[in-house]
Amino acid sequence: MKVLVVGGGGREHAIVWALSKSPKVKELYCAPGNGGIASLATCVPIKATDVDAMVDWCAAHEMDFVVVAPDDPLALGMVDALEAKGIPAFGPRKNAAVIEASKVFSKGLMAKYHIPTARYETFTELEPALDYIRRQGAPIVVKADGLALGKGVVVARTVSEAEEAARSMMADGKFGAAGSKVVIEECMTGPEVTVLCFADGEHLVPMPSSRDHKRALDGDRGPNTGGMGAISPAPGYSPEVARRCMEEIFLPTMAALKAEGRPFQGVLYFGLMLTPDGPKVVEYNARFGDPECQAVLSLLDTDLMDIFLACHDGTLDKLEIRWKASAACCLVLASGGYPGHYQTGYPITGLKEAGETAVVFHAGTKRAEDGRILTSGGRVLGVTAVGPELKSAITCAYHSAKHITFTDLLFRTDIGRT
Ligand code: AMP
Ligand code: GLY
């Protein structure tokens, strides 16, 4: 098969890496890809959000299957556009991807189908939002409705911080149209867990649990980022909690989407909080998480192409998906200054040595004409190691990462330890 993966980060490198092991995949492409992906797939210089150019290229090059990995092209309807040209694709259609693209939609779905989540109200006007914040008191959480690069959520410790967040989203247009509606919700407490699930519109199969580390600095301090590291499985996600999540959250969500005429095919991402009152949904995403994907796919023991095909064909219930009885840790190496301002273009050394004990997924890298690999983004690499249990996987990821150097290298020293 000729397969194209859309995207160019660490998550897409992990997907390309897994697909490259499939005997079914004869030709592998990635658009736009990155410096590491280029060693496994042919990179195609089309932006992930350029739906028309992507679909035209796929038609012209007779792709047999397309994997749409990032949120933006899903929300823009890339899967629908590919289907309209008869090109099979992995990922939800636009009407199902809205579960991530609109928090107003996802909160409404949970309320209608009694899926446990934080209590909330939706606002389109600033004054009632401010009134609500003052009446509820702090801590309280203010969320922009739309996609805001993971930065549209403010967990406010004080009423004035929450008021400020609502003002910047609703009056100052900080996130443009994404912030013209806001969701204000109860602040929940408890450990966070990600559960990614394969879904075929009807059936759903959870992958091993994982945990992202979103804050930039050790001890969960500093600004929110796209994710500084991930482990799998997540401590605290016991078989009993998993059973409750399946019964109270995962299956009801799949059924709700189907009942609403929005069957979900692709990866359904459950961001959960294990609160004292039981597991509750923090957020849904319509795709693999990054960097959770890098850790979780490292544990997969089944051909990923077979899984993607089963999701597309609606036959997930017929496929046995196997996982290694191991643990994984993905440690993100970032550019100093990320998620704020940072410099790029620095040469990276030690990739080969690190690759002897871990898999180094590239996120923000590019290949220079002389063959050197240079930094080209905020999150640069995800050093991903597998071990018999979490402790050894974490130790191995840090040990492997020691070989890698580039100017202004930044990483957290406590991935998997918080
Ligand atoms: P989100 O983009 O919705 O995942 O939110 C980003 C982060 O904000 C989450 O990973 C949580 O740590 C935190 N968060 C979001 N909603 C809540 C909530 N209702 N209570 C407490 N923390 C939250
Ligand atoms: N790791 C969080 C996300 O991908 O949204």
Side-chain angles (χ1 to χ4, degrees):
M1 296 178 76
K2 288 165 85 167
V3 178
L4 171 78
V5 176
V6 175
R11 165 183 56 205
E12 288 76 17
H13 193 177
I15 294 169
V16 163
W17 170 79
L19 289 178
S20 71
K21 295 189 276 189
S22 170
K24 288 202 171 68
V25 179
K26 298 286 184 245
E27 289 180 35
L28 193 49
Y29 299 85
C30 188
N34 65 36
I37 291 173
S39 62
L40 296 173
T42 304
C43 292
V44 183
I46 300 175
K47 265 175 64 181
T49 47
D50 194 341
V51 176
D52 291 343
M54 199 69 80
V55 174
D56 287 349
W57 186 91
C58 291
H61 294 81
E62 300 178 323
M63 286 301 116
D64 297 307
F65 199 83
V66 179
V67 180
V68 184
D71 51 354
D72 292 322
L74 291 167
L76 290 169
M78 188 177 280
V79 170
D80 312 55
L82 287 162
E83 278 182 345
K85 286 267 167 91
I87 302 166
F90 178 82
R93 294 186 191 131
K94 186 175 178 172
N95 75 350
V98 71
I99 196 163
E100 169 169 9
S102 168
K103 293 202 192 287
V104 172
F105 172 83
S106 65
K107 294 297 285 190
L109 189 82
M110 287 185 267
K112 181 168 173 188
Y113 292 90
H114 310 292
I115 296 165
T117 187
R119 268 185 293 108
Y120 78 107
E121 290 281 339
T122 300
F123 297 91
T124 49
E125 303 285 339
L126 180 60
E127 279 311 318
L130 295 177
D131 270 354
Y132 183 76
I133 289 169
R134 288 173 200 136
R135 269 186 285 121
Q136 294 295 313
I140 193 160
V141 182
V142 183
K143 301 187 172 185
D145 173 46
L147 298 177
L149 295 171
K151 298 182 183 98
V153 173
V154 176
V155 180
R157 298 284 150 217
T158 62
V159 166
S160 62
E161 200 188 328
E163 289 175 331
E164 178 50 37
R167 260 193 213 100
S168 74
M169 288 177 200
M170 304 183 82
D172 308 341
K174 188 166 177 198
F175 300 111
S180 59
K181 282 189 221 159
V182 300
V183 165
I184 301 181
E185 66 179 32
E186 163 202 8
C187 187
M188 302 185 288
T189 54
E192 283 187 62
V193 176
T194 300
V195 181
L196 308 170
C197 296
F198 291 113
D200 71 356
E202 176 87 37
H203 316 98
L204 158 146
V205 178
M207 303 179 216
S209 64
S210 53
R211 176 167 296 145
D212 186 9
H213 296 64
K214 288 198 172 107
R215 299 300 192 104
L217 306 175
D218 283 5
D220 284 331
R221 290 173 305 108
N224 258 324
T225 69
M228 294 300 288
I231 50 165
S232 175
Y237 193 73
S238 64
E240 169 57 16
V241 176
R243 188 192 57 74
R244 276 192 74 176
C245 289
M246 192 71 174
E247 278 172 21
E248 297 170 20
I249 297 176
F250 305 160
L251 293 174
T253 301
M254 271 303 273
L257 284 164
K258 192 172 168 224
E260 294 289 311
R262 302 169 186 269
F264 192 101
Q265 183 265 125
V267 171
L268 188 47
Y269 171 126
F270 294 88
L272 306 167
M273 200 168 268
L274 309 182
T275 77
D277 302 329
K280 294 189 182 179
V281 177
V282 177
E283 64 163 344
Y284 292 120
N285 290 325
R287 52 174 174 82
F288 281 108
D290 186 336
E292 291 99 320
C293 176
Q294 293 87 311
V296 171
L297 286 189
S298 300
L299 301 175
L300 181 63
D301 226 357
T302 294
D303 185 330
L304 184 60
M305 194 64 224
D306 283 339
I307 303 175
F308 285 169
L309 289 169
C311 289
H312 179 266
D313 298 343
T315 54
L316 202 49
D317 57 326
K318 309 269 187 320
L319 186 71
E320 192 209 339
I321 302 180
R322 290 179 312 275
W323 300 93
K324 296 187 175 79
S326 308
C329 173
C330 171
L331 168 66
V332 170
L333 306 184
S335 298
Y338 173 76
H341 183 71
Y342 53 84
Q343 302 284 332
T344 58
Y346 297 123
I348 304 170
T349 63
L351 288 167
K352 188 164 166 286
E353 293 78 1
E356 280 162 17
T357 43
V359 182
V360 184
F361 293 118
H362 292 222
T365 73
K366 66 175 184 210
R367 194 177 285 257
E369 289 196 349
D370 60 9
R372 287 186 309 167
I373 299 287
L374 307 178
T375 65
S376 72
R379 288 189 292 174
V380 177
L381 301 166
V383 180
T384 308
V386 171
E389 15 68 41
L390 261 180
K391 195 158 174 268
S392 53
I394 295 166
T395 306
C396 182
Y398 275 97
H399 175 80
S400 308
K402 277 201 183 124
H403 296 287
I404 295 176
T405 59
F406 55 85
T407 305
D408 293 345
L409 169 58
L410 168 84
F411 62 92
R412 273 181 63 163
T413 67
D414 63 348
I415 299 303
R417 296 186 186 116
T418 57

